[in-house]
Amino acid sequence: MSETLLSVQDLRMHFPIHKGLLRRQVGAVKAVDGIDFEVLKGETLGLVGESGCGKSTTGRLVTRLLEPTGGKIVFEGQDITHMPQGRLRPLRRDMQMIFQDPYSSLNPRHTVGAIVGAPFRIQGIKTEQGTKKAVQDILELVGLNPEHYNRYPHEFSGGQRQRIGIARTLALKPKLIIADEPVSALDVSIQAQVVNLLEDLQNELDLTYVVIAHDLSVVRHISDRVAVMYLGKIVEIADRKSLYTSPMHPYTNALLSAVPVPDPKGPRRTRAHPAARRRPEPDQPAAGLPLPHQVLEGAGDLQDGRTAPRAAGQRAPRRLSLPRERAHRHPRARDHHRLTVGAPWPGWPRSVPHSRLEPTPATERPPPRG
Amino acid sequence: MTAFLDVKDLRIHFPTDDGLVRSVDGLTFSLERGKTLGIVGESGSGKSVTSLGILGLHKGGRARMSGEIWLDGEELIGASADHVRRLRGKKMAMIFQDPLSAMHPYYTVGDQIIEAYRIHHDVTKKVARKHAIDMLGRVGIPEPTSRVDDYPHQFSGGMRQRAMIAMALSCDPELLIADEPTTALDVTVQAQILDLMRDLQREFNSALIVITHDLGVVAELSDDILVMYGGKCVEYGAAETVFYDPEHPYTWGLLGSMPRLDRERTERLLPIKGSPPSLINVPPGCAFHPRCPYAERTEGRAETEVPELLKTSPGHLVRCHMAPEERRRLWESEIKPMLETT
């Protein structure tokens, strides 16, 4: 059994909403609202969900770019939830991030050498043959020409820039890499190159990934386990195969059946499920509340005592969390727990027709190295 | 009998300080009413320039356009700007990729639809407003009577895209061009927009051009598919043909680059090496040859000679130096098994 590299317990990030003359807090946007997951050494955890579900916030919390408002983050046995920046800095060597936009995440005034060499400089690390040699080795590792050491980011294409970003991430041989939409800004053919590169690097350097993405097919390709997020909560987490072949949560099902099939004669995507239309829009966070729970009103008392703050225009406090009782373990789950939460509201059908996914077992990747 | 939309040898070049940008270089296709053409290609392949060219939205001073564009028996290239402007909206309309920048932030969504409608119809504001509300309702905006007075920023991404569609459809255009209509949207919203476009096309019997890099979207909507690379069409045929019997190595590359949910997970993706060419320096010969794994099979012709777009079977055109038999053999024996198994 592999050891746990990262463990997140009941993590919360509530951004306050201030209103009025006194800037009093009138509510909160619950971007991340009590999530638990573990990442084992050597595995890839995919984090999917629609925009505004809190997946990027989760990535930023785990790397401590944001200070969580609740919960616990344990990295390699150390509680880093509220660790001060000074003590956190040495840990940053082991925990790095790949950003989505290769255009804005590289300083246009710095050369590739300076960008990829920055981690050495900041961490005060001296290498045997000097930083330049180390940087060139890394450039070569990610498929760039080491002679491009003195070039500037604008001289590179999008795919190459993303490789520069990955080189910088890898500079200090981190243990955990959080990749926030690593390929979504790239062209299709380049996406595949970067996905393959990430997989090769994982095999070569024994990396652990948390890949945050909205593209379900990319996530299936790259992940060992997948967590589906919806409105700040994880609604389903399972190993790749069982999540994609037999999704348990209606939301996962709705997501999967919305993906268009690249096969003109193949079974048609089922029409958009009417339930999906009721999804709250991320740019109307004033309510500060996930919508489906509104529909849950009257479905029973609050199960765990969490109530929603009263936000503007709201009539009554609404249920915020799904009843814990309805969460159940999936019998098919073996090593990892598979948590699904009951239907978000009555009337969301338990299963949306989902004919496209073949139930036959996919070729498995070797189990994560421990 | 000519088709509803007939584009012949369309060339759109932009002279710049760095050289001539050949964004579209000899594009020919046709489209009937009620049918959908999918244009696929990577960024910088000339897809969007083509669509703007059809609508006559390139500034005359900047772009050099040649060739023919026949829309319902009318030649658009060389027609007066004023004439094309009258056609825009009523005869042809466009759904842009980014609705936030395509809509005017100072005017309400309703005003913008009303303006478009009143340009083409001699009606009072009241009637036009009713029509705008009707259109917004049709595209699935909740409470259109009150939302009609909202500004674009008050709409969410998916709703803005719907409002864009409502605006584009307000005058029942006969030709609708959708440039990456769902790229910025979440899958669930994308699904709704795709449903909507299909329903509306059926209802109005309009011709639809969908421009995208997402093969899933293309497969779902299109009757015909045109694959563009470096400003040229490299493969053109019925959707089934292009998906099941593609003959161009670039199309193979696109299919291999894409992880698919409807098949078993492959161990590795099969990307195309290199990156798309700059349109200033399109590689000589076949534009795809630096990235093509089969370039050496053409005895050097790939580097020197531009391949012709030739018919390999009825309705299927491919621009490749390899012999059709060889391409089919490669597809059947090497590429197809790789895409389907492992």
Side-chain angles (χ1 to χ4, degrees):
Chain A
M1 189 70 200
S2 327
E3 57 181 294
T4 307
L5 186 66
L6 174 78
S7 143
V8 167
Q9 289 144 28
D10 198 31
L11 188 65
R12 280 153 202 278
M13 183 72 226
H14 295 182
F15 294 100
I17 303 170
H18 296 283
K19 265 214 177 115
L21 188 65
L22 300 172
R23 312 306 299 162
R24 245 196 280 261
Q25 186 178 340
V26 294
V29 177
K30 311 206 166 196
V32 174
D33 197 28
I35 60 171
D36 306 77
F37 64 86
E38 284 187 346
V39 185
L40 305 181
K41 228 170 170 179
E43 77 166 346
T44 302
L45 176 74
L47 213 52
V48 280
E50 295 178 279
S51 51
C53 72
K55 55 189 194 303
S56 289
T57 308
T58 305
R60 294 178 159 267
L61 287 172
V62 167
T63 44
R64 280 292 313 280
L65 297 176
L66 283 172
E67 183 87 21
T69 51
K72 204 168 151 193
I73 307 164
V74 180
F75 179 67
E76 286 200 298
Q78 277 191 76
D79 186 344
I80 60 162
T81 323
H82 298 291
M83 194 180 264
Q85 289 297 333
R87 280 181 56 211
L88 205 57
R89 184 153 297 140
L91 283 178
R92 296 236 183 260
R93 281 176 216 178
D94 295 334
M95 207 199 264
Q96 288 284 327
M97 197 150 178
I98 299 174
F99 296 95
Q100 171 174 12
D101 185 358
Y103 291 85
S104 60
S105 60
L106 303 177
N107 189 333
R109 289 170 162 235
H110 287 190
T111 62
V112 171
I115 290 169
V116 180
F120 293 99
R121 199 159 32 82
I122 292 165
Q123 295 278 352
I125 288 175
K126 302 264 187 301
T127 48
E128 274 174 42
Q129 293 129 321
T131 306
K132 182 168 182 185
K133 179 77 177 64
V135 169
Q136 288 181 329
D137 287 349
I138 299 162
L139 290 179
E140 201 158 4
L141 185 69
V142 298
L144 291 168
N145 188 342
E147 286 160 24
H148 292 168
Y149 187 85
N150 283 321
R151 293 205 183 172
Y152 287 90
H154 73 264
E155 298 174 67
F156 295 90
S157 67
Q160 284 175 315
R161 284 182 202 219
Q162 197 60 308
R163 284 172 195 264
I164 298 172
I166 293 173
R168 173 178 59 188
T169 305
L170 290 174
L172 301 177
K173 305 209 166 43
K175 293 178 183 141
L176 175 69
I177 291 181
I178 314 275
D180 190 357
E181 301 274 8
V183 297
S184 58
L186 306 174
D187 264 321
V188 202
S189 69
I190 310 298
Q191 276 193 7
Q193 291 174 5
V194 172
V195 165
N196 281 352
L197 173 70
L198 287 174
E199 289 192 326
D200 292 343
L201 291 171
Q202 182 170 43
N203 292 335
E204 231 165 284
L205 304 173
D206 203 13
L207 298 170
T208 306
Y209 290 137
V210 175
V211 177
I212 300 165
H214 69 277
D215 187 328
L216 289 145
S217 40
V218 167
V219 167
R220 179 176 88 151
H221 187 85
I222 205 165
S223 312
D224 301 307
R225 283 191 307 136
V226 179
V228 181
M229 279 190 78
Y230 184 62
L231 302 172
K233 293 188 190 317
I234 291 180
V235 294
E236 182 161 1
I237 179 165
D239 60 287
R240 172 185 70 226
K241 201 166 51 173
S242 42
L243 188 112
Y244 279 88
T245 48
S246 52
M248 294 297 288
H249 195 278
Y251 178 68
T252 315
N253 221 328
L255 263 189
L256 285 172
S257 49
V259 179
V261 192
D263 185 349
K265 270 196 262 173
R268 282 282 147 192
R269 171 177 61 78
T270 44
R271 288 186 67 91
H273 195 274
R277 291 184 188 196
R278 290 198 263 173
R279 190 174 78 89
E281 298 295 347
D283 59 351
Q284 295 169 3
L289 264 190
L291 177 83
H293 312 298
Q294 298 179 341
V295 199
L296 269 183
E297 250 184 322
D301 294 325
L302 284 175
Q303 307 284 327
D304 51 3
R306 285 181 230 148
T307 45
R310 234 178 237 243
Q314 266 187 290
R315 286 180 303 273
R318 293 159 204 262
R319 176 205 298 284
L320 201 81
S321 62
L322 296 163
R324 280 284 156 100
E325 278 80 348
R326 283 159 79 183
H328 60 277
R329 278 171 189 277
H330 186 253
R332 249 170 302 209
R334 289 179 307 273
D335 304 345
H336 309 311
H337 71 296
R338 174 183 177 119
L339 180 75
T340 64
V341 189
W345 57 80
W348 191 339
R350 292 235 56 119
S351 66
V352 178
H354 191 62
S355 47
R356 289 184 288 104
L357 296 172
E358 293 153 286
T360 41
T363 329
E364 267 298 342
R365 259 212 280 187
R369 296 155 304 279
Chain B
M1 181 62 205
T2 51
F4 172 64
L5 173 71
D6 221 342
V7 174
K8 284 179 192 155
D9 197 32
L10 178 68
R11 281 164 210 274
I12 304 175
H13 295 177
F14 298 90
T16 66
D17 292 343
D18 299 323
L20 190 64
V21 179
R22 293 186 169 84
S23 290
V24 181
D25 208 22
L27 198 62
T28 301
F29 62 85
S30 61
L31 183 63
E32 294 292 352
R33 278 198 178 87
K35 295 283 180 196
T36 303
L37 171 73
I39 301 185
V40 195
E42 292 177 273
S43 50
S45 59
K47 309 175 301 243
S48 298
V49 173
T50 307
S51 61
L52 294 176
I54 295 171
L55 285 171
L57 289 175
H58 288 301
K59 284 209 176 91
R62 289 240 203 91
R64 284 191 204 145
M65 284 178 73
S66 65
E68 297 167 37
I69 301 174
W70 292 89
L71 180 69
D72 207 8
E74 252 185 292
E75 163 71 296
L76 297 186
I77 290 186
S80 75
D82 203 45
H83 182 68
V84 177
R85 195 163 69 92
R86 268 196 296 268
L87 294 178
R88 233 167 9 232
K90 179 108 185 90
K91 197 93 184 169
M92 53 191 183
M94 180 143 173
I95 300 169
F96 292 93
Q97 175 175 5
D98 178 6
L100 190 58
S101 55
M103 284 202 238
H104 200 299
Y106 282 8
Y107 294 91
T108 63
V109 171
D111 281 344
Q112 299 182 54
I113 300 176
I114 291 168
E115 182 192 5
Y117 191 65
R118 288 192 75 206
I119 284 174
H120 297 286
H121 299 85
D122 187 18
V123 293
T124 60
K125 269 191 188 154
K126 214 171 159 189
V127 175
R129 186 183 156 86
K130 210 168 154 286
H131 179 75
I133 293 171
D134 185 42
M135 284 312 296
L136 288 176
R138 284 266 274 293
V139 296
I141 303 256
E143 297 169 47
T145 10
S146 60
R147 299 308 296 252
V148 73
D149 295 320
D150 276 359
Y151 289 90
H153 75 266
Q154 290 169 297
F155 277 30
S156 69
M159 274 163 63
R160 254 179 241 141
Q161 195 67 40
R162 283 158 192 268
M164 270 287 301
I165 295 178
M167 204 186 292
L169 291 173
S170 63
C171 302
D172 306 347
E174 291 163 62
L175 169 67
L176 184 63
I177 303 179
D179 188 358
E180 304 269 10
T182 58
T183 307
L185 305 174
D186 279 321
V187 272
T188 50
V189 186
Q190 165 173 294
Q192 297 161 29
I193 299 284
L194 293 181
D195 288 344
L196 176 68
M197 289 191 5
R198 213 164 27 196
D199 293 349
L200 293 173
Q201 184 193 18
R202 217 164 279 160
E203 190 181 329
F204 294 112
N205 195 35
S206 44
L208 179 63
I209 298 180
V210 183
I211 294 171
T212 175
H213 64 268
D214 185 332
L215 291 172
V217 171
V218 172
E220 186 152 314
L221 292 174
S222 311
D223 300 297
D224 289 334
I225 293 177
L226 191 154
V227 183
M228 278 187 87
Y229 189 80
K232 288 189 167 71
C233 166
V234 293
E235 183 152 11
Y236 179 38
E240 280 97 24
T241 320
V242 175
F243 270 94
Y244 300 132
D245 303 298
E247 290 194 20
H248 198 282
Y250 178 63
T251 316
W252 299 342
L254 283 182
L255 290 168
S257 300
M258 181 186 49
R260 297 179 62 150
L261 280 182
D262 59 328
R263 300 232 172 110
E264 277 179 32
R265 178 180 170 278
T266 50
E267 202 54 52
R268 297 274 297 169
L269 297 176
L270 308 165
I272 308 171
K273 62 177 183 185
S275 45
S278 130
L279 289 168
I280 293 184
N281 291 312
V282 179
C286 173
F288 187 58
H289 86 259
R291 306 177 74 189
C292 181
Y294 307 102
E296 74 273 15
R297 288 173 189 244
T298 60
E299 292 145 9
R301 283 196 301 151
E303 285 105 66
T304 51
E305 234 177 276
V306 180
E308 295 284 317
L309 188 65
L310 295 174
K311 192 180 273 185
T312 70
S313 60
H316 189 195
L317 303 169
V318 179
R319 190 189 289 277
C320 182
H321 280 304
M322 279 192 288
E325 303 74 45
E326 191 177 6
R327 295 194 300 247
R328 274 174 219 141
R329 192 183 55 74
L330 277 173
W331 165 250
E332 288 295 337
S333 64
E334 286 184 27
I335 314 294
K336 201 171 161 193
M338 266 204 289
L339 294 182
E340 284 180 354
T341 55
T342 66

